[in-house]
Amino acid sequence: MQRVKIKELLGNTTAMDKVLVKGWVRTRRDSKTFSFMELNDGSCLKNIQVIADVSLDNYAEVVKLTTGSAICVEGRLVASPGKGQKWEIHADHMDIISMAPEDYPLQKKRHSDEFLRTIAHLRPRTNKYGAMFRIRSEMALAIHQFYREKGFRYLHAPVITGSDCEGAGEMFRVTNLDLAGVATSGKMDPSDDFFGQEANLTVSGQLSAEMFALSLGDVYTFGPTFRAENSNTSRHVAEFWMLEPEMAFCDLDGNMDHGEELIKYLTRHAMEQCEEDLSLFTKFVDKGLSNVLSVLVNEPYERITYAQAVDILLKSGKRFEYKVESGIDLQSEHERFLAEVYFKKPVFLTHYPKTIKPFYMRVNDDNETVAAVDLLVPRIGEIIGGSQREERLDVLENRMNEMNLPGEAYWWYLDSRRFGSVPHSGFGMGFERFLMLITGVTNIRDVVPFPRTPGSIDF
Ligand code: 4AD
Ligand code: MG
């Protein structure tokens, strides 16, 4: 007989004489002649109730089943007289696949997020983290669906790279350990990074995406990205997933239109396709979340310049920890104030001073600002960072000189401005920050299966 997943069973419209389910026991309670189990198989948030009675040949074993034990049940799917569940299974036969010992850490009680982080290998078995990681899976696929519908091509940008896209020097170095060589010579050869060349883990796939946008038109990359910033914040991890669309013949306004359409599409998708899992977060994690979601899909996003933003912050009368003055790199407290308190919705900031932005951003006519854009959202701050790119070879070369970037190392990048250069734009959206936004989860460690932060590399 074929096994059926619980998600499918719960959606059934008729009773069934014979079903086969496999899963893990969440709880068990006994009456005189029955044992009632809540069974979960990870396919959905809900459990199905399984009822075993004394007629089972291994009933004596069944009543010893502990939380976390795995079983295989053959039985009948019947309408449940109980409240809150449509179906239950009356077991005709039950195999105990494995019995969890009493020290299984996920006994039925509330566990703190801090505690669950210490058992990242087990936490997806809880309701909250099961829901989180089903949503994460669905949203990753929704990104591909969005871009497929729009006719974008999916680019696999390299993870190992010689360049530093953001120029912030926050890269992890890749080393060819060559353990056999170390054993014979007794020392590591520092010149032997990537077969003799310096190499890093990518901080952004953008430069590769630009090359492909100038070839295939509209592309996106979506993959793991690495930052060696040693910052212990609730919004940074050393390894995260970034979505990076890059569009030829697209200016800054087109870039913002695209970002807004993307966030609206993904949020709506989550509300429709992850309704049950998302309800756990709207009910138990963040009471204001439903309102945030509704603003995200229904309201037009605000668009202002960096200078206007600084003005608003200065006039707000609010005392920020990090003092506001023109030219500063806005901190998350400033970003949150703008999106959460002042506008109460997502806000795009453009025209940042060129002094705080990377080399590839298009210089504006004032020669002071660049065609940068960040999208700031309530509760998070920056979720998207992007720009129109500098397509003019001479301006780009001047800027690189100003910033002491070696033109030789970027010869291939400059080629794209030499041969058929066109205006183009793109951005990066932090996938984890998006998940925080739609679930109301406030610590980025809780939206990543196995978060990579200083001190967490065990799992
Ligand atoms: O603003 P960033 O640094 O932009 C870039 O890397 C551009 N090259 C992207 C592009 O134009 N193609 O990063 C983009 C986004 C941020 O807005 C943030 O959401 C996320 O990536 N991000 C992080 N998320 C988690 N942990 C970190 N350490 C992050 N650093 C950036
Ligand atoms: Mg940024």
Side-chain angles (χ1 to χ4, degrees):
M1 210 194 331
Q2 256 223 315
R3 172 191 170 208
V4 191
K5 299 267 179 88
I6 291 172
K7 179 181 165 69
E8 206 178 308
L9 274 186
L10 291 175
N12 237 39
T13 50
T14 54
M16 288 167 80
D17 280 346
K18 247 183 177 334
V19 289
L20 180 71
V21 292
K22 299 182 185 188
W24 294 272
V25 175
R26 282 288 176 85
T27 57
R28 189 181 52 77
R29 65 189 168 83
D30 304 320
S31 73
K32 265 199 191 118
T33 45
F34 295 101
S35 191
F36 301 88
M37 275 151 276
E38 291 293 325
L39 194 69
N40 189 282
D41 67 2
S43 62
C44 61
L45 187 61
K46 290 208 174 90
N47 306 320
I48 196 159
Q49 175 161 270
V50 174
I51 303 173
D53 66 43
V54 283
S55 69
L56 289 187
D57 47 11
N58 59 346
Y59 191 70
E61 294 302 308
V62 169
V63 294
K64 287 185 205 146
L65 277 169
T66 48
T67 295
S69 296
I71 58 173
C72 170
V73 185
E74 232 181 273
R76 287 151 287 144
L77 185 73
V78 297
S80 173
K83 266 213 296 217
Q85 60 201 23
K86 194 167 159 205
W87 301 110
E88 61 190 27
I89 295 175
H90 293 194
D92 292 321
H93 183 80
M94 190 180 293
D95 283 328
I96 296 171
I97 301 172
S98 74
M99 190 73 111
E102 297 291 344
D103 64 352
Y104 179 57
L106 296 175
Q107 299 302 326
K108 192 170 171 68
K109 65 173 190 116
R110 250 198 69 81
H111 301 283
S112 72
D113 293 321
E114 289 74 17
F115 167 68
L116 291 171
R117 256 170 243 151
T118 67
I119 49 167
H121 59 304
L122 298 176
R123 69 178 176 168
R125 301 179 184 199
T126 64
N127 280 341
K128 178 173 174 183
Y129 289 90
M132 170 54 75
F133 295 121
R134 275 187 298 272
I135 293 174
R136 186 177 168 116
S137 162
E138 182 58 37
M139 295 322 293
L141 296 175
I143 285 177
H144 292 299
Q145 188 175 319
F146 175 77
Y147 283 105
R148 189 162 209 193
E149 285 168 13
K150 290 184 80 69
F152 280 53
R153 301 297 177 177
Y154 176 32
L155 166 71
H156 290 146
V159 167
I160 301 176
T161 173
S163 54
D164 176 6
C165 175
E166 294 307 288
E170 289 170 336
M171 296 177 299
F172 289 106
R173 179 60 60 79
V174 172
T175 305
N176 168 10
L177 269 184
D178 182 16
L179 289 178
V182 173
T184 40
S185 69
K187 59 174 198 275
M188 300 255 294
D189 181 353
S191 70
D192 203 18
D193 280 351
F194 184 78
F195 310 109
Q197 280 182 292
E198 267 186 22
N200 316 302
L201 294 180
T202 187
V203 295
S204 162
Q206 178 196 323
L207 304 186
S208 312
E210 280 189 62
M211 300 307 106
F212 270 68
L214 295 173
S215 313
L216 307 186
D218 291 328
V219 300
Y220 68 104
T221 74
F222 180 38
T225 309
F226 306 85
R227 301 271 165 110
E229 44 197 349
N230 195 355
S231 52
N232 236 319
T233 83
S234 57
R235 292 176 193 81
H236 294 86
V237 269
E239 176 178 334
F240 63 101
W241 276 60
M242 183 151 55
L243 160 70
E244 298 182 273
E246 191 70 34
M247 299 158 285
F249 311 106
C250 177
D251 63 11
L252 193 64
D253 284 331
N255 209 14
M256 287 188 273
D257 292 344
H258 182 83
E260 185 165 339
E261 187 187 344
L262 169 76
I263 302 272
K264 287 192 151 94
Y265 177 101
L266 293 180
T267 308
R268 198 174 297 118
H269 186 97
M271 292 164 82
E272 288 167 4
Q273 302 299 318
C274 308
E275 197 184 354
E276 183 179 279
D277 284 327
L278 208 52
S279 72
L280 182 150
F281 294 92
T282 52
K283 277 191 205 135
F284 302 117
V285 173
D286 182 347
K287 296 267 187 266
L289 181 60
S290 296
N291 183 47
V292 171
L293 295 175
S294 146
V295 167
L296 283 176
V297 288
N298 294 317
E299 301 254 343
Y301 299 177
E302 203 65 44
R303 299 182 184 192
I304 60 168
T305 63
Y306 169 92
Q308 286 170 316
V310 169
D311 209 43
I312 292 172
L313 292 169
L314 286 173
K315 288 186 178 145
S316 70
K318 191 171 153 49
R319 286 177 71 93
F320 294 103
E321 250 174 66
Y322 192 98
K323 192 166 164 274
V324 179
E325 52 191 341
S326 189
I328 61 159
D329 211 354
L330 296 179
Q331 306 296 304
S332 111
E333 54 171 336
H334 308 131
E335 298 173 337
R336 287 185 60 180
F337 177 83
L338 290 165
E340 202 167 310
V341 181
Y342 193 84
F343 288 110
K344 299 188 172 57
K345 59 166 150 171
V347 49
F348 286 106
L349 257 56
T350 59
H351 297 74
Y352 281 78
K354 68 176 184 183
T355 46
I356 55 170
K357 290 293 183 185
F359 75 96
Y360 52 71
M361 295 192 176
R362 192 176 199 279
V363 179
N364 289 323
D365 292 342
D366 59 16
N367 199 29
E368 292 294 326
T369 61
V370 284
V373 60
D374 277 8
L375 177 63
L376 317 180
V377 292
R379 286 138 199 250
I380 314 277
E382 178 190 341
I383 190 169
I384 278 178
S387 68
Q388 181 168 340
R389 318 307 188 189
E390 184 55 77
E391 85 282 12
R392 298 161 297 184
L393 180 63
D394 53 334
V395 183
L396 182 60
E397 283 179 327
N398 279 343
R399 183 98 203 281
M400 290 174 72
N401 281 338
E402 258 173 42
M403 297 176 77
N404 286 323
L405 282 173
E408 318 82 69
Y410 289 87
W411 63 272
W412 53 276
Y413 189 75
L414 293 170
D415 259 5
S416 67
R417 274 48 176 185
R418 225 168 257 130
F419 310 131
S421 186
V422 302
H424 61 286
S425 301
F427 61 77
M429 180 190 84
F431 185 50
E432 285 73 17
R433 294 203 186 164
F434 176 74
L435 293 172
M436 292 168 73
L437 176 66
I438 59 163
T439 57
V441 164
T442 52
N443 195 315
I444 196 167
R445 290 163 182 77
D446 298 338
V447 305
V448 185
F450 296 100
R452 293 289 90 112
T453 51
S456 84
I457 196 80
D458 279 3
F459 311 99

